[in-house]
Amino acid sequence: MQLEKEFFAGQPLNSQVRQLRLLVIDFDETITTRDTSGTIAKTAIQAVVSKVSEASKSEDLVQELADKHSWLIRNYTDRRTSLLEDALPPEGEVRTEFDMGWLGDFVDRLADFDREMNTVVVDSGILKGVRREQLAQAGAAVEMQPGSLAVMQKAVKAGIPVAVVSVSWSAEFVRAALAQQGLPVVVSDSDGQGADVPSVSAVTVYANELEYFGDERCECGADKARLLDDLLLGLAAEAGSGGDAVYVGDSMTDVPPLISADVGLVVEVVMADVGAAAVKTGMLPDAASPGVEAMLREHLFPLATLITPNLPEAAALLGDGRAIVDLEGMRAAARELHALGPSWVLPSRQQTVTDVLFDGRTMLELSEPLVVSDNVHGTGCCLATAIACELARGHSVLAAVRRAKRYLWRTLERSRGLPLGDGPQRTMNFGWATADWAADLAAAGVPMPPRVPNAADLRLYAITDPALNERAARSLIDAVRLAIDGGATLVQVRDKNSPARAFAAAAAEALEHARARGVPLVINDRLDVALAIGADGVHLGQDDLPAAAARRLLGPDRILGVSVKTPEQAARAAADGADYVGCGGFAPTNTKAGNLTVGPEGVAAVVRARVLPVVAIGGIGEGNASAALATGADGVAVISAIFGAPDVVRATKRLRAVVDAALTARGLSEGGEEA
């Protein structure tokens, strides 16, 4: 939950040039290493005690003020709990529609609550007697995040206005904390009814002062949201339109968990105009917060479509001290977490090959190649956010998870070797789809790791045939559905003769079904159709569009297959960005006229080159699939043996059983991984 702690240390080597006109940063736990509100209370207690001359009275006073401080903390916690219980829907009540009016009222109640609690603190007298110089001395001793000060110094030097916002009790405290490393700092003299535009030559602090100093600037998260809005309006009025404003912060430290005044501001603007199709929240804010696990289990999980805990979070949520270290433990955890109410559960093991996805009935294992990288900071949040985005686009949970896992995997793969920060878990390269780091790395003497091919389950690769479908009075979508029902792990749609419009329409319908079932669908030859319908990839022959050109148009994340007959052709396909090669014909076939048969020896030669995963193709059926896999191929591609059979599902199931048995005999699991 505290990704901001390494945000500043994770700046990329280069980035797209943009006009930044305002940088707004939260203070506590974004610039500082921890919440500092307690520091001010302790400073005030010391200020009062220092005025007492007698030692015995001093000890009594310290105890009295410490007890008062403890009471204030308990009072705040109890009152906040009571507020949440009163404001949130009763247990068991299910809300089916988003209520913007209710959210706005709730945010207002939270703001009033924080202002009231501030008054309670002042009235308690615990702050009585503290002087500005004492607050400045305490602020100067605050531990700061590595790199955050340097980023602000860089912004000031570049003439970019920097605003630091805090709901802390003292702007002087914040000023001193920022100035300790030589930052030029000014305190805003805003009266709370507007915000002056930040200085371009210093960092401008917007914070609440102790009320008896006469200032009430920023007491709660709602004030901070209003202040941010005022800053943007003021900047626009002064400098006109254009440019970007960046806000970095952790609003969870300002208001109760799961409800944020800052989020409320964003929700009010965005949802009123475009609505929301999916909402993503965080998981455990920190390991020490009492009661968080129970709150998630009892209140959030019954509302959730999907939860994505990593293994330590899953163990904490189950609460029995178990260690989850293997797939069997992940399966057991998924079942128990599902019983708490979410529709789907995805216990996630970072930097490993396989995750499990469970919906209460079916346990699915989703795999990607292992990527070894130090740039892994933010993997869990990245995965959950990507899933939410895919759900919002209308994909099923299974399809959304598969697509999100692929995105995360490619993000990790494109981050290998990049020096994106100095922490033990450096940030990932989220700009992998557009950023080219080769020149930067070459200048630094660091070689860019070669591209890792996309993973695809090639065990039983079904290739549709229009003539066979026509003979059986079968539509394309029916052919794809039957093959997937029988156990096909990847489908290629081949149609050399249909007009582009009709082909694209039929292929799009088949793609929708395949994607809902979690099976990739690629288009043979027709890259234009593949791009038009958003297919999972394309397969090309030696006489088709060059693979390198196809990869440039497809981007790095879609599947690209190439037909080959020799190790040399396979090596060229790999260099051009292919993810697998289809090698054949393995045996004579009538499906493709004039196709040269390379035989088992030719397939084995391509396999021995170990350039890319290999699919054996050509004349393969139930009787010789084992022999084809004995060459070392990763799977078999089949046309007639499936779509020429009277019962497509039965034929596919029988062939799949032969394939899985052959892979098991080679010491591989059914997924093609080493057993």
Side-chain angles (χ1 to χ4, degrees), residues 131-369:
R131 301 190 303 277
R132 293 183 189 272
E133 57 269 24
Q134 292 170 317
L135 293 170
Q137 184 178 6
V142 169
E143 183 180 356
M144 310 295 283
Q145 294 286 357
S148 61
L149 295 172
V151 168
M152 287 187 284
Q153 288 170 335
K154 186 183 298 185
V156 170
K157 185 177 180 180
I160 298 170
V162 179
V164 171
V165 183
S166 175
V167 293
S168 168
W169 282 89
S170 173
E172 184 60 34
F173 179 89
V174 178
R175 186 205 65 77
L178 298 176
Q180 63 175 303
Q181 298 295 328
L183 267 174
V185 185
V186 297
V187 175
S188 169
D189 59 2
S190 169
D191 61 1
Q193 302 303 312
D196 48 325
V197 177
S199 169
V200 297
S201 59
V203 176
T204 304
V205 173
Y206 299 84
N208 183 39
E209 277 289 8
L210 299 176
E211 288 192 11
Y212 53 80
F213 286 165
D215 298 319
E216 299 177 11
R217 294 182 182 135
C218 192
E219 294 187 90
C220 62
D223 290 340
K224 188 170 64 175
R226 173 197 49 76
L227 179 65
L228 178 59
D229 191 43
D230 288 347
L231 288 174
L232 295 174
L233 291 174
L235 194 68
E238 181 179 89
S241 60
D244 297 320
V246 174
Y247 172 78
V248 183
D250 182 0
S251 58
M252 291 299 188
T253 62
D254 300 327
V255 290
L258 303 182
I259 299 294
S260 165
D262 295 335
V263 172
L265 174 71
V266 176
V267 166
E268 183 175 2
V269 173
V270 176
M271 297 190 70
D273 290 339
V274 300
V279 175
K280 176 256 178 190
T281 72
M283 282 294 292
L284 303 182
D286 61 67
S289 297
V292 173
E293 298 95 329
M295 180 188 68
L296 292 171
R297 288 193 299 263
E298 296 171 12
H299 299 291
L300 185 61
F301 287 1
L303 304 176
T305 300
L306 171 72
I307 61 172
T308 62
N310 60 35
L311 298 192
E313 287 173 335
L317 289 166
L318 293 172
D320 54 11
R322 75 180 68 181
I324 306 173
V325 296
D326 55 21
L327 278 174
E328 191 52 46
M330 293 170 69
R331 296 186 191 106
R335 293 186 183 95
E336 294 179 45
L337 289 170
H338 183 270
L340 298 176
S343 300
W344 294 75
V345 182
L346 182 72
S348 179
R349 184 164 47 174
Q350 296 177 5
Q351 278 194 288
T352 57
V353 174
T354 303
D355 294 334
V356 299
L357 180 64
F358 184 58
D359 67 348
R361 300 179 303 278
T362 305
M363 189 77 67
L364 301 171
E365 296 178 7
L366 310 177
S367 299
E368 297 288 353

Side-chain angles (χ1 to χ4, degrees), residues 573-586:
D576 288 345
D579 298 305
Y580 72 90
V581 293
C583 184
F586 176 78

